[in-house]
């Protein structure tokens, strides 16, 4: 066989392989954040009703788990999009690159707040971030030194709080909400303590970011509906959960003001509420054209009828970004702009 014939045969085989890959999966696969899951599911359902493409499969794996799956490779066995309730980390980008995932588009979809809520039949709480730190950290400063957390009731932390045993259902480390709780609650409150300021960086991180292991903090790795169920059945317990779940279940639960600010749509959108953060999804550019409908799904998600202030995602609890930000993010998403760290 001549060299020319071999070359033609190789091109033909490559074309067959590419065509096979393009049609090997005809349904978008989305993984990631439990916080973003309800929003992504709503978009997937609306997208599927259009009739041109199959309804995407959306899995709630947690932010960290979703990014790991997303960054594990390119091809039909790997997700096309991952949702995140925190920004992708440099180490995760490095993991993506190591596995050949070299084209990533980042989209900020809006905002959410982290709320401390309990059953409507339970006691009323008004909390500060420092009180939450003292109630949930593994080691806390007492009498000038760090000791294993001695607080058993909320009133032990502060006499103004209810005389209820401390029991907090919080997200496990696989959730972006846990990272946000550390970043927005534990770290700033902890670093104000004189006993912490004297520590070296590694010791400070461990002291500030480690939660209790004595039963006062119970990790929940499943979907946040589990936290909601736990606090509904146990009125004395608090749940660390997202505003969207509060907004959808106000007949069953209530949220504590944090540092004197109530968690409302307007307070989160204006950044007055101290425990709020942006939400994201990430697109694997290498799968655009490989899996049908990826660009079209992104177009649906970034339309004002979906993520706008009056869009159907607002009914699910999404806090819309300002108009200019949405316009900028929509253009970047549809143009598949490259991630910039």
């Amino acid at each position: 066989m001549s060299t020319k014939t071999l070359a033609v045969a190789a091109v033909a085989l490559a074309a067959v392989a590419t065509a096979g890959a393009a049609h090997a999966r005809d349904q978008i696969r989305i993984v990631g954040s439990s916080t973003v899951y309800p929003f992504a599911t709503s978009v997937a359902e609306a997208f599927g009703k259009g009739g041109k493409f199959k309804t995407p499969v959306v899995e709630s794996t947690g932010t960290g788990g979703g990014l790991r799956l997303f960054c594990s490779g390119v091809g039909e066995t790997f997700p096309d999009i991952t949702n995140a309730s925190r920004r992708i980390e440099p180490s995760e980008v490095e993991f993506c690159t190591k596995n050949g995932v070299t084209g990533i588009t980042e989209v900020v979809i809006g905002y959410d707040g982290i709320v401390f809520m309990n059953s409507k039949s339970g006691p009323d709480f008004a909390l500060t971030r420092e009180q939450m730190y003292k109630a949930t950290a593994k080691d806390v400063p007492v009498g000038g030194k760090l000791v294993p957390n001695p607080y058993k009731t909320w009133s032990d932390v502060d006499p103004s709080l209810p005389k209820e045993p401390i029991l907090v259902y919080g997200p496990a480390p696989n959730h972006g909400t846990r990272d946000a709780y550390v970043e927005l609650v534990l770290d700033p409150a902890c670093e104000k303590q004189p006993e912490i300021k004297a520590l070296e960086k590694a010791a400070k991180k461990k002291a500030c970011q480690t939660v209790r292991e004595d039963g006062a903090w119970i990790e929940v790795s499943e979907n946040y509906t589990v936290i909601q169920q736990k606090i509904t059945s146990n009125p004395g317990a608090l749940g660390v959960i997202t505003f969207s779940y509060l907004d959808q279940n106000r007949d069953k639960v209530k949220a504590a003001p944090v540092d004197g600010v109530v968690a409302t749509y307007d307070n989160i959108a204006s950044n007055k509420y101290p425990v709020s953060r942006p939400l994201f999804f990430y697109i694997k550019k290498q799968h655009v054209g490989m899996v049908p409908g990826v660009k079209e799904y992104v177009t649906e998600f970034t339309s004002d009828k979906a993520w706008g202030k009056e869009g159907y995602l607002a009914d699910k609890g999404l806090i819309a970004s300002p108009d200019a930000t949405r316009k900028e993010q929509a253009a970047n998403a549809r143009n598949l702009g490259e991630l910039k760290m």
Side-chain angles (χ1 to χ4, degrees):
M1 189 180 291
S2 69
T3 303
K4 183 177 179 181
T5 304
L6 283 169
V8 171
V11 171
L13 284 170
V16 171
T18 302
H23 297 287
R25 178 156 56 81
D26 61 356
Q27 196 170 20
I28 299 168
R29 184 185 172 204
I30 303 166
V31 295
S33 165
S34 297
T35 302
V36 182
Y37 174 80
F39 309 137
T41 300
S42 292
V43 175
E45 290 170 353
F47 176 73
K49 286 176 182 175
K52 190 174 179 181
F53 302 97
K54 288 186 176 181
T55 301
V57 174
V58 186
E59 301 171 65
S60 176
T61 62
T63 295
L67 283 163
R68 184 158 191 87
L69 289 167
F70 178 84
C71 289
S72 290
V74 176
E76 63 178 282
T77 58
F78 302 101
D80 312 305
I81 294 171
T82 190
N83 303 315
S85 56
R86 60 164 172 78
R87 198 173 192 223
I88 191 171
E89 296 175 352
S91 61
E92 291 165 329
V93 174
E94 186 178 337
F95 182 66
C96 269
T97 303
K98 177 183 175 183
N99 291 309
V101 180
T102 55
I104 303 172
T105 297
E106 176 183 82
V107 185
V108 178
I109 68 166
Y111 293 83
D112 192 23
I114 297 173
V115 297
F116 310 133
M117 69 185 197
N118 65 323
S119 169
K120 289 200 83 165
S121 63
D124 291 330
F125 285 87
L127 294 161
T128 66
R129 284 178 286 179
E130 184 168 2
Q131 288 167 346
M132 284 302 295
Y133 155 69
K134 288 182 176 179
T136 61
K138 182 179 180 180
D139 296 314
V140 294
V142 176
K145 59 183 180 180
L146 280 177
V147 299
N149 197 318
Y151 303 124
K152 303 300 182 186
T153 68
W154 288 100
S155 57
D156 290 339
V157 173
D158 190 302
S160 68
L161 296 174
K163 294 181 179 180
E164 292 279 347
I166 297 170
L167 178 59
V168 179
Y169 290 95
N174 63 309
H175 288 286
T177 302
R178 171 66 166 271
D179 298 324
Y181 180 69
V182 168
E183 178 186 348
L184 299 173
V185 178
L186 294 184
D187 277 346
C190 176
E191 289 173 3
K192 289 181 181 178
Q193 311 302 315
E195 296 86 348
I196 297 295
K197 290 179 180 179
L199 297 177
E200 294 182 359
K201 186 176 180 180
K204 183 183 294 185
K205 181 178 179 180
K206 182 179 179 182
C208 290
Q209 300 184 1
T210 306
V211 295
R212 297 176 73 158
E213 299 169 346
D214 59 358
W217 172 281
I218 298 178
E219 292 185 345
V220 177
S221 59
E222 302 91 343
N223 192 288
Y224 295 140
T225 52
V226 175
I227 294 180
Q228 182 188 309
Q229 290 163 1
K230 295 287 187 184
I231 61 175
T232 301
S233 62
N234 188 342
L238 278 185
V240 178
I241 201 166
T242 64
F243 175 78
S244 57
Y245 281 82
L246 167 68
D247 205 39
Q248 297 296 307
N249 296 279
R250 291 188 183 275
D251 59 324
K252 301 173 186 174
V253 295
K254 58 188 175 182
V258 179
D259 293 341
V261 182
V262 178
T264 64
Y265 185 103
D266 290 339
N267 284 343
I268 294 170
S270 64
N271 212 29
K272 290 179 182 177
Y273 184 67
V275 198
S276 57
R277 45 49 189 297
L279 303 175
F280 306 81
F281 69 76
Y282 293 90
I283 308 159
K284 191 175 294 178
K285 291 175 63 175
Q286 290 145 298
H287 281 199
V288 174
M290 178 186 294
V291 177
V294 173
K295 284 197 77 170
E296 290 82 358
Y297 170 85
V298 171
T299 298
E300 172 70 25
F301 205 131
T302 58
S303 66
D304 267 357
K305 69 176 181 179
W307 74 354
K309 292 176 182 176
E310 304 297 328
Y312 59 79
L313 294 182
D315 295 335
K316 295 290 183 180
L318 180 67
I319 310 297
S321 298
D323 294 347
T325 302
R326 288 201 317 280
K327 184 177 180 180
E328 178 185 302
Q329 288 293 317
N332 179 65
R334 295 171 193 186
N335 294 327
L336 298 173
E338 288 283 347
L339 171 68
K340 295 178 182 179
M341 296 300 289

